[in-house]
Each structure stands twice: as C-alpha cells, then as structure tokens.
Amino acid sequence: MPFIEHDISRTHASGTRRKSSSGSSSSTDGRNIRRRISRACDQCNQLRTKCDGKQPCLHCLEFSLQCDYIRERKKRGKASKRELTEQDVADAAAESMERESIPDAHQKHDHDLVEDVHFEDKTHDEVLTFDSPTLGITSNGLPDFLAHTSAQQLSVSMSHVSHSSPSTETTPQLQQPQATPLPAALLASGWYPQVSPSEPVLPDFSISGPMMNTMLQITPSGVQYPILNELLPQLLTFMPPALPGDLLETYFSRNMYCLAPLLRKSSILSTVRPRPCSASLLYSLLLSAAYTSDNPHMTSSPSARLDIIHRLFDLCVSSLRPLLHSTVHGTLDDVMTYAHLGTVTSASEFKGSSLRWWNGAWLLASELKLNIEHPDLDDEVREEMRRTWWLLFIVDRHLGLCYNRPLAILDAQCMTLHYPLTTDEEWASDAVLVPAELIPDAATKLGVNYAITGTDIFGFFLPLMAILGGIVELHHLEQHPTMHLGTTSRELRGHLSTCLDVYERSLNAYDDQGVWRFYATHLAHVLRILLAGYCDPLDLLLASDSLLATNEFMTCTAHGLHAADAVKRILELDPELMFMPFFFGVYLLHGGFIWLMLVDKLESDVAEEVRDACETVVRAHEVCIVTLNTEYQRNFRRVMRGALVGMRQGLEAAEREEARRRRREIVGLYRWCAGGNGLAV
C-alpha cells in the first residue's frame, strides 16, 4: 500500500539523519543533539505517541486534545513495604467514603433505572438529544446526564441492552451482547451461528480511566456515539477524534455509496442502547462514508482521503473471518459488510473485482436463509434481513446486466419472503415496527412482484429488477451454443412485455411527480429496448442498414425518445444525478447505444429530435462523470461527442471511415454477446 511505503521511506530517512547528526556532533558543539523529554503529556502517554513536552504539546494542538500533566508520577523500581501499606490504607478509606456519600435517594434511583431498562420494550430507545451543544463530564468521569448513576450499576444496565426480547428475571446479570439477537432454539439448530470470539463485538459502554476525554469525543452535531468506542484505539492512530462520529453521520445522510438503508439510523446512532455490531461492519460503514465526506480533515492534503480509505479498508478486511467449508461461519453483519465492500469496489475502475465480494454476500445470505421469514425473531432483525436480501436481489440483476453474467439468486428463492414492510422514512425514524403477521396488506408484498409499491428503491426499483432478471435469463438462453428456443423466445418476450405493462400501469396510478417517477419512466423504456435484444453496441454498429426500416427498431427508437425526455426532466429535478448514481449509469449507457447507431449510419440525415436526444444523453454522461467517474462513461461520452461533431462538420469519406473505425474499436471493449464481459474490461 502507498502509505506503508511512505512509512518505510520515512523511517529510513530518519535513520540516515540520525547517523549524519551523530557524525557531525563534534563540529556543532552539541547544538543539534535532540533534547530528551522526561515526561510526556497524559494524552500522548495514553496513545503512545511522540510528545515534545510542551504545554500544550504539538500533538494535542494538531488534534484539538486537552493537554494535561496531571497523572501521578511513578517512581522507578520496586515499591517499598511502607508505600504499599499506605496505598492500601488510602484505597480502603476512599472506598468507605464513596459508599457513605451516596444518598439513599440515589440508590433508589439506580435501582429504578436498572429495573426500567431490564423490562424495556424490544425496540431501541430514541436517540437522546441535548439542549447544550457540548456534553458535560462530571468529576467521576461520567457524562452529566448520568451523574447520579454509579459506575457499577451503569455497567449492569448497559449489559442488558440487546435486540432480544426482555428477560423475565428480576436480578440484572452481566451479559455479553451478541452480534445478531436470535432465539436459543434457532441458535441451537445451527442455522445462524453466533459471532466467534476472534471477531470483536460491541462490549458494554461504561468508560473510565485516562482515555475518558478521548473516548467521549463530540461530533459537530453535539451527539456522541458509544457504538464506536471499541474501534477508537485503532481509529485514533490515523484520524482526529471527531472524524469517526462525523463519518457515521455522513453514512446515514449524504452518502451515495449507501445503496439502500439496511441498518436503522436510530439504532446505530443511539447514545443509550446502540445495536450490537461486529467490528468489520462498523469499519465498512466508515469506509463507505469516507469516499464522500466533506470533513475538513479529508481534504487537508491531497493524500488525506486516500490514506484514510486505505486504512479503513485494511481494518475492515482484517476483521472479517474467512468462510470455512465445514460449517457456516458468518452472520448478518458479515453479509452487510460484504455488500459495502462490493459497493465501493463496483464504483471504482476495478469493477470486475467487486464480484468477489458480491459472490460472498450472495452465498452467505443463502446459507443463513435470509430469504425466509422467521416469526420468532425481533421485528427489527427481520426487517434488516428483508432489506439485506432484497438489496442483494437488486444488485444481482443489476450486475447481471453490467457484466453479462448469469444470475446468482433465483426468483424461486424469494417467493416466501416479504418485501421490506417499512418505507425508508419509517425505517429512519423511531416508529415502532409492526410484525408482518399483523399488517393487513402484507400479502401483496410477498415474493417477486412487478407492480410499484412505494417511492423508495424497494418500492419502484425492485419490481424493475425483477423484470430485468427475466430479460437477462432470456438473453443467456438465446446465446446458448446448443439450445435453440425457436418460438419459445417470442413467447417469453411476450410474457416479459406483459410484466412491463403491469409496471407502467402501477406507475400511472401514482400522482406523485417527484424525481423518482422520471427515473422509473426512463428505466422502463430502457428495459423495453433491452427486451428487443439491442444490448450489444458493436452488433448495432455492424448491423445492416435495412434494420433501420423494421417495425421493431422503429418501436425501440420511440422508446429511446421517451427515455431521453425522461432524462431531460431528471436533469431539471436532479442536476447532479445524485438520486441513484450507482445504478443509473449503465441504463443511461444502454439507452444511448441506439442513438450512437443512428448517428453512425445516417450522419447528416438525422432528424432534429434525434439530435436533441443525443445531446441530452451526452450531457447526462458528463454529469455522471462528475458525480461518479468511471472509464466506460468517459469512453461513451467521447465516442458520442465525436460522432455529433463529425455529423455537423461533414467529414470527407476517408475521415468518416477512420472515425467509424475508432468508434468500433472503443465500443468493442464492452460486449454483451456470447462470451462478452460487459463493463468488466
């Protein structure tokens, strides 16, 4: 990694400097000899970092830490018997005074607090908000809103925080939270294993000691997130204390790498009862947010963002346990982690490498039976499972088109699982979740569906991906080297066309004129073009001119015009194309192949509406390049723009043939024919 090489070179350079300085010490009379620091400040001593001994020191100034020298000076060597006796007497006296100083009212308050938390409802508490922008810390090291709670009982009360249903015992007992709250019967059956001790999960959040000021860092919004406490010793080695909390907020607010909200915001950001999470999942959340965070530290130097992304990626991968063949070693948290890693890799130039992570997510999700309803589980866990499975379903169909690959998830695997039963707004709020068995219209959201059920990604995009799955399967069947479908191909196309009719009727039933509606309109028309079989750009450019006169191609041209009109409206409502940047680019590309073919073959005879459609597609690609820059978008934009310029200028015959040759060479990189890999160049 680049930062590792940098550290090695820096160490080598520093060693060289030390040698040279020692060699010239006699000539400088000791003026360049490094001054030895006898005492580091409390923060540098705790973090084991270099300190210059000043007040405040350079490290504390850089990371906005409180620089103190108040810790007790420890004498070297073995303590004498007299000192040990005095220390024991002092500790006993302090313990006695602490017991006598706690009023009876406070003891009753502590007992009530434990009882209230113990018999709490299964849902998470609402996120606490504070009137003050800062969080006060009392003399005993606790936040001021817990000042009347003893540290022992706070630890006891926190240990009962979990997804599982409340216990019937009246005596609180310390418990280690599980990564996934499951009933004992299901755990005993072995279908859903617990987290291995080798992978850390969130412990109780009682904090004490010299790290108190560092561990309770406050984010810009004034809320601290205990869920990150376990990761702070690692994170603070390469980022300032306030940045982890800011990244966590970014993940749930303005993050294009969050394809769909799988985790509940109120559960992760809770300051009282956060969701137990594996370390790898938390690292993946921070990694996803690091790509788009506008925190000043991320832009403090040209390599700052890249360095943090590399470090978070390494921590995330090293926290994951390998999947063994003997038994299922994985959890729901692991599936989400694989999905996050696959997302950030898919958005890079190494798109083909993302399939390694997505394949792990698809296989582990099937082994964990996320595609089956589990009425015995907590309602929030069930909704997390639904959202995770259906997102994997969406991505499977989407990547099947992107990389010209067969599907990993079959429709038959999804017929007993409900769609997500909450909208994104309900999922982000603190609303109480209702079990699927008590929702009257839950049966309409069971299994694969082709009608729109809402305005979020699971409501309007999921039905389209169900139809796209059929188109991808038909495409591979028609390219089979020995299987000849005959009239079956026409029948399957008719069925898929009927499914698109169902989708469009459900779209017309919505009066909402939000940006989602025009994305849905554009995608539906592009799927019509794909259903007709016009998906390989080189085949279109090499096709006979007689193809342009067929009714089928003219129908596809009409769908292309409607898709271009929808893109115009999208650019008006969403000028940066931030609504669904991860998905939109490939459908914009396939919708533009038909225009590239027309400009390449007709040149100056192209109609004005076709020219407008081409300009719209080029402008949309230019916006996509700014939002999520990828090679295939740059190439298509260059090819289409060159074709339009050549059409206006009227090139000579030789120049025109050379331009056509270059176009065929570039689009030939992306093939959707038999053996082609799509965008995975």
Side-chain angles (χ1 to χ4, degrees), residues 35-90:
R35 184 170 62 90
R36 182 178 178 84
I37 304 301
S38 61
R39 180 174 171 82
C41 72
D42 297 347
Q43 292 287 357
C44 293
N45 178 70
Q46 182 65 35
L47 296 175
R48 298 293 189 270
T49 56
K50 187 176 179 181
C51 184
D52 58 10
K54 297 180 181 180
Q55 177 94 26
C57 70
L58 183 61
H59 178 266
C60 293
L61 280 176
E62 182 179 357
F63 293 101
S64 302
L65 301 177
Q66 182 176 353
C67 189
D68 294 320
Y69 293 82
I70 60 177
R71 72 182 186 281
E72 180 184 0
R73 288 181 177 269
K74 295 184 178 180
K75 297 181 179 179
R76 296 181 179 272
K78 183 178 180 181
S80 64
K81 293 183 178 180
R82 178 183 175 184
E83 292 174 342
L84 293 175
T85 303
E86 292 177 352
Q87 183 64 35
D88 292 341
V89 172

Side-chain angles (χ1 to χ4, degrees), residues 421-468:
L421 299 178
T422 58
T423 63
D424 287 352
E425 291 77 12
E426 295 170 344
W427 184 241
S429 69
D430 299 326
V432 177
L433 302 179
V434 181
E437 293 75 17
L438 301 181
I439 299 179
D441 60 344
T444 61
K445 295 185 177 183
L446 186 66
V448 177
N449 187 19
Y450 302 124
I452 296 177
T453 59
T455 60
D456 55 20
I457 187 172
F458 295 112
F460 83 91
F461 192 57
L462 178 53
L464 281 171
M465 293 299 98
I467 301 172
L468 177 61

Side-chain angles (χ1 to χ4, degrees), residues 367-540:
E367 292 180 4
L368 297 178
K369 295 180 170 44
L370 301 188
N371 58 322
I372 299 175
E373 290 288 344
H374 299 280
D376 295 334
L377 296 184
D378 179 83
D379 292 326
E380 184 167 331
V381 177
R382 294 177 66 184
E383 187 70 1
E384 286 179 358
M385 293 169 66
R386 295 186 196 108
R387 286 176 168 266
T388 302
W389 177 266
W390 286 114
L391 178 62
L392 295 179
F393 178 91
I394 288 173
V395 174
D396 178 37
R397 270 66 184 157
H398 175 75
L399 296 186
L401 174 63
C402 288
Y403 305 143
N404 195 35
R405 52 172 295 277
L407 303 182
I409 297 177
L410 304 178
D411 289 355
Q413 295 178 263
C414 312
M415 301 312 294
T416 59
L417 183 68
H418 287 96
Y419 273 28
L421 299 178
T422 58
T423 63
D424 287 352
E425 291 77 12
E426 295 170 344
W427 184 241
S429 69
D430 299 326
V432 177
L433 302 179
V434 181
E437 293 75 17
L438 301 181
I439 299 179
D441 60 344
T444 61
K445 295 185 177 183
L446 186 66
V448 177
N449 187 19
Y450 302 124
I452 296 177
T453 59
T455 60
D456 55 20
I457 187 172
F458 295 112
F460 83 91
F461 192 57
L462 178 53
L464 281 171
M465 293 299 98
I467 301 172
L468 177 61
I471 297 175
V472 170
E473 289 186 311
L474 175 60
H475 175 68
H476 288 290
L477 284 174
E478 291 179 334
Q479 292 181 336
H480 197 280
T482 59
M483 185 181 299
H484 303 287
L485 298 182
T487 58
T488 306
S489 176
R490 188 181 303 107
E491 294 173 358
L492 291 176
R493 277 195 168 83
H495 170 72
L496 293 171
S497 179
T498 303
C499 295
L500 281 170
D501 292 339
V502 172
Y503 183 86
E504 291 171 348
R505 284 196 297 269
S506 65
L507 177 61
N508 294 332
Y510 276 81
D511 295 330
D512 187 359
Q513 297 296 317
V515 67
W516 73 270
R517 183 185 187 91
F518 299 101
Y519 274 99
T521 301
H522 174 267
L523 294 170
H525 286 295
V526 172
L527 291 193
R528 295 279 189 183
I529 297 174
L530 293 174
L531 183 57
Y534 302 125
C535 58
D536 188 86
L538 189 58
D539 285 348
L540 286 173

